[in-house]
Each structure stands twice: as C-alpha cells, then as structure tokens.
Amino acid sequence: MRRFYSFVIFSAIVLSLTRPAAAANYQVEKVADGVYAAIAVPGGKAASNAMIIITKYQVLLAGAHFVPEGIKELLAEIARLTPLPLRYVLLTHHHKGFNFIDFDLPKNAEIVTSWQTWQSLKNEYRELPNPVTFFDKGLTLQRNGVTIVLSNTGFGHSEGDVFVYMPGPGVLFTSDLVYNDVIGYMGDGHLREWAAILEILGSLGARTVIPGLGKVTDSTGIERFTRFYREFTTEVLRYVEKGATLAQVKRDFRLAGYEHLPGYKTFIDVNLERAYQELREK
C-alpha cells in the first residue's frame, strides 16, 4: 500500500500537473566552464534538476526522474550549446516501480550508475535498451582533462544514490540528497544514513551546488537543508518516543518554519509515513 501511495503521489507530480504547451520543463544556466545546471521549472514535467557537462569531445548528462518530455527538451538544449553528442547519462538514482521514468533515454547513450540503481532498473517490466556501466562505491571519469567523481552513498534518499563532484571547478550535483528551499519526496529515504551523507556533502566545500530541486546554491544550501532535515527527523522521533500512532503524528505534526516552502503540503504525509516507519523500527 505504501508503494502504491508513493506511486500516486509521484505520478501526480511528474505527469498530472498542467502548464501551457510552450512552457519549459528546465531552465538551463551556466555554472562553470562547460558545466550547466538544468533546473526543473515549477509546474513542468521535470521532477528533479539535472547537470550537463560538455568536454572536448562529448557531453555527459547527470540526473534522474527523466521523462520523455524532459529528455527531449534537454537534448534540444544540449544541441543549442554544442554540436557534440550526448555520450553518457550519469543516472543518480531510480525509484522502484516507475517504468515511465528513466527508460526513454537516447539508445546510443551509455548509462553509468550504481549497482543498486541498475538492479532497480532490471526489475522493472520494461527493458532498458542502453549500454550500462554500474559500479559499487565510487567511479572517477577522466574526460579530456575534466575530472568527474561519482560516489555511491548506499542508502540515502533511495537505494544507491549517486552524487557527482567536479573538483576542478568545485561543482557538486547532489541530486535528491539535497533540496534547496524546497520540500521534496522522502518516501524511499533511509533516514539515519541520509543524515550522515549530508555531513559528507557539507564537508566537500563545493563552490557551486546543484541540488535535486530548487535553485543553484553553494554550501550554505546544504546547511539549510541539513537544518531542516534534523528538525524534521527530531520532531518525528519525539512523537515516536512518546508512543504516538502514525495517525496522531499526521494530525499533530507541525514544523512552522518550513510549512511555507514549495512541496511541503504535497509531500508531508508520505514523508511522515517514511520517517515514522524508519525511526520506529531502528
């Protein structure tokens, strides 16, 4: 039932929101030489930000939650920026049970991802036509003088989350491990492990941070999300320790400093369900 509920919520975000036909799904902005942030436009069909990396001979695209409309737009943006081909898609995670997401990428692009994400993709009913490279803990790509470090967190926002760091320009793509002044989906999260990952991300000292949702920021954006995360989990844990039921938590839970943020009302119930389950069981 929880999986079905998560599916309904996520499907509503990705597929059911309406917008004018000419509106964009992403707003693309340059953040460093050859590096661009593709920020999901509120109300569009893109459910997460992405990152475009242009090297001397090829293009790499990092992100997740790729729907056909979003991919079409990103390919058009890449073609506008460079004549070079999209060679790699660095797939940062995949939520189980979503066969309409992450399966319609260009067939000649190689997917690079964590082994957990690869297993999730393999278990969907659709067959992925792309070549795939998957890794365990980490993978470093050297592309014509550009260093791209991929780190598999194991458990965080989902199973097998990958964050992407470019030490040269100091650009960090957190994917959905960090939301910047937005409340996002936490329904597959592993709460205690996620907290430790946030400390690691903060310690990198990145000059530019592309979050999973929200505007481009710097390390202060990670600090803000970490503060929200601690307050959220601490408050849920307080209810758990009092012996409150999930229904009581949903009825009484308040986090006044964040209730105004986009996504709070949309995701509060599913996020509370996951946090309650995780924190009560461990």
Side-chain angles (χ1 to χ4, degrees):
M1 180 59 71
R2 187 188 69 81
R3 173 63 57 188
F4 175 77
Y5 180 65
S6 299
F7 179 86
V8 171
I9 289 289
F10 211 80
S11 297
I13 295 298
V14 176
L15 296 180
S16 300
L17 294 176
T18 60
R19 60 182 176 86
N25 293 298
Y26 295 97
Q27 181 69 45
V28 176
E29 60 181 279
K30 185 176 182 178
V31 297
D33 287 343
V35 185
Y36 297 81
I39 303 302
V41 175
K45 292 187 177 181
S48 188
N49 296 338
M51 178 172 69
I52 299 167
I53 305 170
I54 301 174
T55 67
K56 188 174 181 180
Y57 298 114
Q58 56 198 211
V59 180
L60 301 91
L61 173 66
H65 306 160
F66 291 121
V67 296
E69 297 90 340
I71 281 294
K72 182 178 180 181
E73 185 175 314
L74 287 170
L75 290 175
E77 287 289 343
I78 290 170
R80 183 180 63 84
L81 294 169
T82 177
L84 294 171
L86 174 63
R87 180 69 180 84
Y88 297 97
V89 176
L90 313 179
L91 188 61
T92 53
H93 66 281
H94 175 80
H95 292 285
K96 297 176 182 177
F98 296 100
N99 291 276
F100 56 88
I101 293 176
D102 303 327
F103 278 87
D104 297 288
L105 300 162
K107 293 180 176 59
N108 59 341
E110 181 174 350
I111 294 176
V112 181
T113 191
S114 67
W115 69 267
Q116 296 97 324
T117 296
W118 170 231
Q119 289 299 312
S120 295
L121 292 168
K122 281 179 61 179
N123 289 329
E124 309 294 15
Y125 69 76
R126 290 183 64 183
E127 183 176 351
L128 191 68
N130 303 73
V132 177
T133 294
F134 58 90
F135 62 93
D136 185 4
K137 295 182 179 180
L139 179 67
T140 298
L141 304 177
Q142 287 282 352
R143 295 294 182 268
N144 312 114
V146 178
T147 301
I148 306 164
V149 181
L150 285 68
S151 298
N152 178 2
T153 62
F155 294 100
H157 167 76
S158 63
E159 294 184 19
D161 285 285
V162 171
F163 65 84
V164 182
Y165 184 54
M166 301 179 67
V171 177
L172 171 65
F173 177 53
T174 68
S175 192
D176 285 359
L177 290 162
V178 172
Y179 300 119
N180 183 31
D181 294 333
V182 177
I183 304 301
Y185 178 74
M186 300 167 65
D188 287 333
H190 300 265
L191 279 299
R192 287 184 170 83
E193 292 86 349
W194 196 343
I197 294 163
L198 290 174
E199 292 186 11
I200 294 172
L201 294 174
S203 70
L204 292 175
R207 296 189 290 276
T208 303
V209 176
I210 304 172
L213 278 174
K215 296 180 180 180
V216 174
T217 182
D218 52 23
S219 58
T220 61
I222 299 175
E223 292 171 6
R224 285 194 303 275
F225 180 74
T226 301
R227 187 160 51 248
F228 155 77
Y229 189 88
R230 287 173 179 167
E231 292 181 24
F232 174 77
T233 53
T234 298
E235 186 67 3
V236 174
L237 188 59
R238 186 175 71 84
Y239 280 101
V240 169
E241 291 176 343
K242 290 196 306 182
T245 65
L246 178 58
Q248 290 171 327
V249 175
K250 287 185 176 182
R251 182 193 67 203
D252 298 334
F253 184 90
R254 293 292 180 274
L255 214 56
Y258 303 96
E259 293 175 1
H260 67 286
L261 292 180
Y264 184 93
K265 292 181 180 179
T266 301
F267 291 115
I268 186 62
D269 279 353
V270 69
N271 290 351
L272 283 174
E273 286 181 10
R274 182 63 175 186
Y276 181 85
Q277 175 190 18
E278 282 276 302
L279 297 174
R280 188 179 62 166
E281 290 179 355
K282 295 183 179 181

